[in-house]
Each structure stands twice: as C-alpha cells, then as structure tokens.
Amino acid sequence: MGSGEDSDGKRSLPEHLERMRSRVEVGSKVPSNSEGVYYSGAYSSMGVDNSLSVSDLEKRLKVKILEKEKDRIVFELIGIDAPIANTIRRILLSEVPTMAIEKVSFFANSSVIHEEILAHRLGLIPLDVDPNLFDYMEEGAEPSEVNALKFRLKVQCTKVAAVPAEAKPSLKYHNSDVFSSMLEWEPIGEQAEVFGSKPPKPVNDDILIAKLRPGQEIDLEVLAVKGISKDHAKWSPVATAFYRMLPQVELLKSIEGADAIELKDMCPSNCFDIEESGKAVAVRPGQCTMCRECIRHGDWEEKIRLSRVRDHFIFSIESTGAIAPEDLFMRALQVLVDKCGNVVERLTESLDVSSAQARASTNKEHLSHLTRMSTGR
Amino acid sequence: GRSSSWRLVASSVVEFVTLGIGMGSSGGDRSLEVAGDDPSCVTIVLRGEDHTMGNAVRYMLARRPGVEFAGYSIPHPSEDRLNIRVQTVAGGESAAEAFGGSVRDLAGVADVIAKSFLGALEEFSTSMKR
C-alpha cells in the first residue's frame, strides 16, 4: 500500500500520514478520520504508491482463526479494507441461499392459530439441508425433486383418560404441543436415494409451532424452496454475522500508582493490568468496546489514545445450523465471484452491442453518401 | 474435509460461471449500460445491484493506478439503479477497460481471501489436535 518495505527501495510515508491512513481515531466526543484513503494517487506527490493489485494483497493478507465451534466461527482478516469486509458481511447477511418453507397447503386447521400465522411460523423454521443441492424454483414452475422439499404435518390433540383436571396439560393431553420434530419429510422422485442417509429435517427439533387442546387438529403439507435473505429473512443462513475493527489502546504517558489503580477499575472490559512496577499496561486491548470511559473525565484524554486499525477485521459468523460457519464464509466469497462474473458478462455484451451499433451507423452514413452522389445532388 | 472441494476462480481466468444468484430467482433486469461520449469519462449503470457491489467495485477502481476518479451512487432506493462513475488518466486505459479490470480484480481478491482462509482453517485444526 505504499508504505512498503524499505528493503524494496520503496519510500514510506511520514509517521503522521501513515497514522492517518491506517487508524480511525476515537475521541471522547466523536470519532474522527473514519474515511479511508483509497485513491491510488493519494501520495503521488511524495513518491509513495497507494495502489493495490491482487498480487499485492496476496503478499499482505493474513487470516487467523480465533474460535471455531459447531455453529460459530471467529477469525481475523488482516490486510483488507472496509469496503471489501463490508461487502462480504452484506453477502453473508442477505445473499447466501438456504432452503425454507414457502408454500403451505392446509387440509385441516381447527386450532386457535390462524392459517397465515402458522404458515409464517413454519417459514421461519431453519431447515437442515444443503441448498447447493437444489435449483431455484421459477415463478409458476412445477415443484420437482430439484427445486422443492415436501413435508407433512398432521397432529391431533386428544384427552388422556383418568388424569385429574388439576394436572399439567402435558399429562392431561396427548399432542397438546406441536413441535418442529413432528414435520415429516416426504421425498419427491429421486430424493429418497439422494437424501437417504441424511433426511432433510428442521435444524432444531424443539421449536414450538402451535398449541392444541382435545378435538383440535392441524393437517397440512408444505413446500420448501431455495431463496435468499434479501427476498425474505426466513432464508437467512446466519443468526448474525458481524465484524469489529481491531481496537488499539495507547498510553501516551506513564500511568502509575493511584492513577493506575483508578484506570484498571474504571475499565468495564478489564483491558488494563498493573505491573509489579506499579505501572498500568493495556494488556487486553482486544476486549476494548470503545466505551471511552477511560477518556471521558478530567484530563484522561491526554493520557490515553483510543483508535481502531483500519485494515484489521475480527469477523464473527453465527450460523442458523443448516450450513457450517466456515462454509458460509466460503459461499459468500463464491457469491461475490459470481456477481463479478455476471457484471463482466454484462459489460462484454453491452460493449459488443455498442460496437455493433457503431458499425451499423457508419454503414448507414456511407450508404447515404453514395445515394446523394448517384442522384446528382 | 468439506472445505477442500471448493471451486475457486483465479483472477487470471477470464471466464466466469454465472449462477444468477438472487437476480435469476426474482427475474430482475440484468442489463448494463455504458453512458458517456468520452471513453475516459464514463458512467456505468447497473441494475439489480446495490451497495454490496457498488462500494466494492468503487474501492477496487480507486486503488487502480490510472484511475483519476471513482464513485458510485444509488439515486433512490425505490429505483433499481446503481451508477458507477469512472474517469481515467489521459493516454491510459479507457474507463470501461478500467471498470472491467477492477471487477475481475475483485473476483481475484475474493479468490485470495478464500485460499488464505482455507489455509487458516488447516492451521487451526492442526493446532487443535496438538
């Protein structure tokens, strides 16, 4: 990025400009310098190149996984800038496809829950299926094994004999609670072989869909299709996905003794520790939430400087369970690549069209010139 | 395991596979318009895209040597229009070429991130086994 290694013979930026380029300052009243310096010629007057090529990024990028659980991953992306990080975050949130219930057909519903409410609730149930195995279902297309999943829900509530009236509903009644586990998958066509070993089902068995009392019945059939969260939030693959920029806590002056104790107690995120020498040290800046309590009062702002490192992102992705969080990140990158391909395709098409049009109009001019000559005008 | 079967696209590969993500299912207009008389000063108009592509492409353009101006706008959220303005230095590549190159580079960036991420996953699983 221009502040290159001196061994390459590249000139680097003066300290204050490098600080401006690489840090977002967090003051007690307001953050400053939040705009990034992205223009390739920003420092051309100083002979420093601020451009970025894919190979530059390859040298600079570092990725480190911090935490990894079944449905959650926390990792660092160092060396990319906010526009790219945000684009990936936006794709995770709105454009990575999943499967969700879309069409609900009722055969019977004598419960107190209206059909549209039940349909809405069914749509929000996360389904443990890989959407990559399916195509999108077009408008008015027939549901088939490649674009839909069928489930059945048939529950009747009955009274259990000889249970006293004061007892809990779960003892008095059979099927008084309708759970997501009661959705039964009905394979279409070849699906039985494809999914035989891992039948599609809701991610969570214990989602309460409706409550019933004796005599009430729910009998319905649903179709689940592939979609994206931009269309309806039920298709969201993430519980959430977010990033933070790495916080930086710098002690401008040495803080010792009573001041050090005051500082350590002041911080609600427990970022500071006191060394044996009595000096305070920012030992866990990563935990800093930028609450700014440490610079809010008195002249503390002269002693501590808070900032964020502009090209260091700590991503957190929590999956709803259908797709593993590390796969979600990869799929988001794939969506980005596909979008780029789509735009390049459109660009080539439109440039072909416009060059064809240009050729056609020059032909016309050429022909009219000939006509004028032949009629002697 | 699962992660090793990923299809990655290197930035040098010119052909991209379009899956019509989102746009296909909603049947949106997928046209692209290049507006402007001077080849070095052009506004690309995209439909069916938003800040997700707009800001990313603008960033790649701005970081590209030879690009004098790069900006994007969405005039109104109710209107399906993303404008990307590119102006290039005289005597260099045309604005449309710069745009195409930047979009390809964006795919290249995604590729680099994907490879690094897979490497980091490997490292993490080996360090967990210890």
Side-chain angles (χ1 to χ4, degrees), chain A residues 115-361:
Chain A
E115 287 83 18
E116 62 268 28
I117 311 298
L118 272 178
H120 180 242
R121 291 175 70 78
L122 288 165
L124 293 171
I125 298 170
L127 299 176
D128 190 6
V129 202
D130 185 356
N132 281 355
L133 300 169
F134 291 85
D135 296 332
Y136 288 99
M137 185 155 88
E138 309 289 313
E139 279 280 323
E142 278 298 305
S144 75
E145 59 211 352
V146 292
N147 62 20
L149 276 175
K150 210 196 305 183
F151 292 87
R152 200 87 154 80
L153 182 64
K154 188 174 158 68
V155 183
Q156 276 162 306
C157 179
T158 52
K159 193 156 190 250
V160 176
V163 175
E166 317 84 67
K168 281 197 311 192
S170 52
L171 299 170
K172 275 207 286 186
Y173 312 122
H174 176 59
N175 283 343
S176 62
D177 293 334
V178 179
F179 291 103
S180 51
S181 54
M182 296 169 174
L183 280 162
E184 282 167 8
W185 173 55
E186 288 187 351
I188 308 170
E190 309 245 318
Q191 286 177 353
E193 287 124 60
V194 177
F195 293 103
S197 49
K198 189 171 178 272
K201 62 174 188 54
V203 173
N204 314 92
D205 280 338
D206 51 356
I207 298 174
L208 182 62
I209 299 171
K211 287 191 182 188
L212 302 172
R213 285 296 180 265
Q216 293 175 351
E217 180 190 359
I218 290 177
D219 187 358
L220 51 84
E221 192 179 85
V222 302
L223 272 180
V225 300
K226 182 168 172 173
I228 55 173
S229 181
K230 218 168 166 181
D231 188 355
H232 190 287
K234 69 188 178 189
W235 278 295
S236 174
V238 293
T240 192
F242 62 93
Y243 61 72
R244 320 183 277 139
M245 273 193 209
L246 184 76
Q248 194 172 47
V249 182
E250 288 161 279
L251 297 178
L252 303 170
K253 300 184 185 153
S254 170
I255 298 172
E256 316 178 355
D259 276 354
I261 298 171
E262 189 186 347
L263 179 61
K264 181 172 155 62
D265 292 338
M266 208 173 12
C267 178
S269 310
N270 200 25
C271 296
F272 301 97
D273 266 351
I274 303 176
E275 287 180 332
E276 280 155 22
S277 59
K279 283 194 190 171
V281 175
V283 83
R284 283 170 294 270
Q287 291 180 1
C288 177
T289 54
M290 295 290 167
C291 71
R292 292 175 261 187
E293 195 57 30
C294 53
I295 53 173
R296 201 181 295 275
H297 305 290
D299 61 354
W300 278 102
E301 196 158 6
E302 290 160 33
K303 299 180 192 160
I304 298 175
R305 190 199 247 166
L306 296 175
S307 60
R308 287 200 190 267
V309 181
R310 193 171 268 128
D311 65 349
H312 188 136
F313 294 91
I314 302 164
F315 262 84
S316 176
I317 302 177
E318 286 171 44
S319 168
T320 49
I323 304 167
E326 62 272 17
D327 283 347
L328 279 176
F329 185 69
M330 294 299 291
R331 287 178 197 217
L333 292 172
Q334 189 64 62
V335 170
L336 178 56
V337 169
D338 293 333
K339 271 178 182 286
C340 290
N342 182 269
V343 170
V344 168
E345 202 181 295
R346 293 197 245 171
L347 178 69
T348 354
E349 261 176 48
S350 97
L351 288 178
D352 285 344
V353 164
S354 58
S355 61
Q357 278 174 348
R359 280 195 297 273
S361 60

